[in-house]
Amino acid sequence: MSKIDTICVQGGYKPANGEPRQVPIVQSTTFKYDTSEDMGKLFDLEASGYFYTRLQNPTNDHVAAKICQLEGGTAAMLTSSGQAANFFSVFNIAGEGDHIVSSSAIYGGTYNLFAHTMKRMGIDFTFVAPDASDEEIEAAFRPETKAVFGETLSNPSLAVLDIERFARHAHAHGVPLIVDNTFPTPVNCRPFEWGADIVTHSTTKYLDGHGAAVGGCIVDSGKFDWTKYPDKFPGLCTPDESYHGVVYTERFGLAGAFITKATAQLMRDFGSIQSPQNAFLLNLGLESLHVRMKRHCENAEAVAEFLAGDDRVAWVTYCGLPGDKYHELAKKYLPGGSCGVVSFGVKGGRKAAENFMKHLKVFAIETHVADARSCCLHPASATHRQMNDDELRAAGVSPDLVRMSVGIEDAADLIADIDQALAAAVR
């Protein structure tokens, strides 16, 4: 099974004779064993299996396996949210006194997690623009740097990350590149093929598709050789005394060490597990992902072309448009399309943008993005309101920016809704 359309529908779970055709929901907190010795092997990581859903659950693992196949990775895990996935992906290899280089063009919630919450944990972050020169990126590294982080297509500024270039810098310093691939999804972008080492997702978005289940996912490529840098990554390359001295890279190899450690340590201690019910709903969305992404991209391109030709619009960002700042990079990394999100500015600034959204009828104002229904948001007063003006500009968010998540409705209806709202807002 190699074609991505087939993996979307049938990946991750293969029922045996007489078993359920659909991934079963294992709605149980605990699992029964015949002897203490059997359970003890699980606690010692000497056998595979389940003993408490706070760490792992069969439903979750089937769905994680599908996403792993879609990304072309070797191991994956579901988390309770995309925020949890990004936190785990960094905290799994970094601790007090360590440092991360991150693109500045990232989701506002992720920026806040990195710049404030994780800083209180003793992890320092240096933010560089996705368009930074090689010299500027190199200058951001320190001896204690443990990873580089970026978003393939940033939320909401829609900057396309030059994955190959950032991977080259990361690997030159002996650290992995972690990439959040939420917006393009593995249908439209293949980060591992361009040198990324770890991929994260907010599965709440396109992977789910119906706005019914919050979740996240981490996928490991299995390609980064932690054993070449044992002093830099002791958590993976030296004995873990909380699990009787297991060395993850020795026991599970490069293919499984990162995800096993994240499960055995971080999920054990933080418990940010996705519920089996949510994982089941996520899988229903994954089954149509390849079909939905095509429609999202078709509709978004039609909306972007309309906005680009309208005098009431100050600017439009959509990498699928010729002449867009990131159009050439998009042709390289997103040849089949990007996503359904279009960012633009309404002439008249912040007030005009807010007034525009008040008059929308089909598009709903939501703190959400990337499901079947069209919605929009004014980030400067919502998801990014914790940032000051300088931080907003660094993240590519201007006061007049409206983020439209174009759904899979009829494109003509969506354009008509935008047209009447612009007529009411810009006079």
Side-chain angles (χ1 to χ4, degrees):
M1 188 187 300
S2 59
K3 299 297 184 182
I4 201 163
D5 293 12
T6 305
I7 296 171
C8 282
V9 179
Q10 295 201 23
Y13 173 67
K14 187 175 181 180
N17 188 46
E19 290 186 342
R21 186 66 186 89
Q22 181 56 275
V23 173
I25 305 172
V26 182
Q27 195 67 45
S28 179
T29 59
T30 53
F31 302 81
K32 180 259 184 188
Y33 287 89
D34 292 335
T35 69
S36 294
E37 287 77 13
D38 289 337
M39 182 170 284
K41 291 177 182 178
L42 299 177
F43 279 90
D44 288 345
L45 302 180
E46 293 177 354
S48 60
Y50 305 92
F51 53 86
Y52 198 49
T53 286
R54 191 181 79 228
L55 282 86
Q56 283 182 284
N57 178 281
T59 306
N60 293 28
D61 283 354
H62 288 310
V63 180
K66 175 180 283 191
I67 299 172
C68 188
Q69 284 182 262
L70 289 170
E71 287 287 5
T74 59
M77 65 187 295
L78 297 188
T79 61
S80 59
S81 67
Q83 283 289 83
N86 285 337
F87 171 63
F88 276 22
S89 71
V90 172
F91 198 61
N92 200 36
I93 52 175
E96 185 177 9
D98 289 333
H99 172 255
I100 306 293
V101 176
S102 174
S103 169
S104 59
I106 56 177
Y107 168 58
T110 306
Y111 179 90
N112 193 65
L113 169 68
F114 289 170
H116 302 290
T117 302
M118 294 189 75
K119 186 174 183 178
R120 294 202 303 271
M121 302 170 76
I123 303 173
D124 199 16
F125 287 78
T126 296
F127 296 93
V128 297
D131 309 323
S133 67
D134 288 337
E135 292 75 18
E136 289 171 324
I137 297 172
E138 279 295 306
F141 284 88
R142 304 176 188 172
E144 63 271 22
T145 300
K146 294 297 179 69
V148 177
F149 182 93
E151 294 179 358
T152 49
L153 191 58
S154 63
N155 177 10
S157 57
L158 301 180
V160 178
L161 187 73
D162 192 340
I163 302 170
E164 195 169 34
R165 186 165 72 101
F166 273 77
R168 184 174 67 249
H169 284 287
H171 296 161
H173 290 268
V175 300
L177 173 62
I178 304 170
V179 170
D180 185 327
N181 198 31
T182 295
F183 268 14
T185 81
V187 170
N188 286 339
C189 186
R190 314 286 294 166
F192 291 155
E193 295 177 6
W194 298 104
D197 302 290
I198 308 292
V199 160
T200 65
H201 285 277
S202 170
T203 63
T204 317
K205 310 303 190 297
Y206 289 117
L207 298 190
D208 174 276
H210 34 56
V214 174
C217 186
I218 308 172
V219 185
D220 183 13
S221 69
K223 295 178 180 179
F224 190 83
D225 192 349
W226 312 100
T227 63
K228 289 177 63 176
Y229 314 98
D231 294 336
K232 192 182 290 284
F233 304 105
L236 287 162
C237 302
T238 59
D240 177 5
E241 298 308 324
S242 71
Y243 273 105
H244 308 290
V246 63
V247 178
Y248 292 100
T249 50
E250 290 181 1
R251 179 76 63 83
F252 303 101
L254 299 182
F258 185 88
I259 294 298
T260 302
K261 178 180 180 294
T263 302
Q265 287 185 352
L266 303 188
M267 198 62 83
R268 173 196 65 190
D269 295 341
F270 290 98
S272 300
I273 194 77
Q274 188 169 148
S275 77
Q277 179 69 57
N278 278 11
F280 174 83
L281 294 173
L282 166 60
N283 187 60
L284 294 181
L286 288 170
E287 290 176 351
S288 64
L289 177 65
H290 57 298
V291 179
R292 289 185 288 106
M293 289 308 295
K294 289 185 178 70
R295 181 59 177 260
H296 279 294
C297 292
E298 290 171 0
N299 281 359
E301 188 163 345
V303 166
E305 288 173 352
F306 168 79
L307 291 168
D310 197 296
D311 291 338
R312 298 164 295 186
V313 175
W315 55 269
V316 181
T317 296
Y318 187 71
C319 63
L321 289 176
D324 184 88
K325 181 179 181 180
Y326 294 101
H327 187 64
E328 291 305 312
L329 275 180
K331 287 197 294 185
K332 175 179 179 178
Y333 295 115
L334 307 162
S338 58
C339 70
V341 179
V342 179
S343 292
F344 68 100
V346 180
K347 281 187 178 177
R350 180 190 292 263
K351 289 185 178 179
E354 293 175 344
N355 196 29
F356 163 78
M357 293 196 299
K358 290 177 182 177
H359 289 87
L360 290 168
K361 295 179 173 60
V362 179
F363 284 85
I365 299 174
E366 300 177 12
T367 310
H368 186 48
V369 68
D371 72 27
R373 292 165 293 274
S374 293
C375 61
C376 70
L377 191 72
H378 181 230
S381 59
T383 54
H384 288 61
R385 69 179 299 126
Q386 76 276 10
M387 292 184 176
N388 60 40
D389 286 348
D390 289 338
E391 291 171 336
L392 282 171
R393 281 190 288 270
V397 180
S398 59
D400 65 341
L401 186 153
V402 172
R403 181 190 70 187
M404 301 205 90
S405 177
V406 182
I408 58 175
E409 304 93 342
D410 189 285
D413 286 339
L414 299 177
I415 291 171
D417 190 36
I418 294 169
D419 186 35
Q420 64 84 23
L422 284 170
V426 182
R427 300 180 185 278

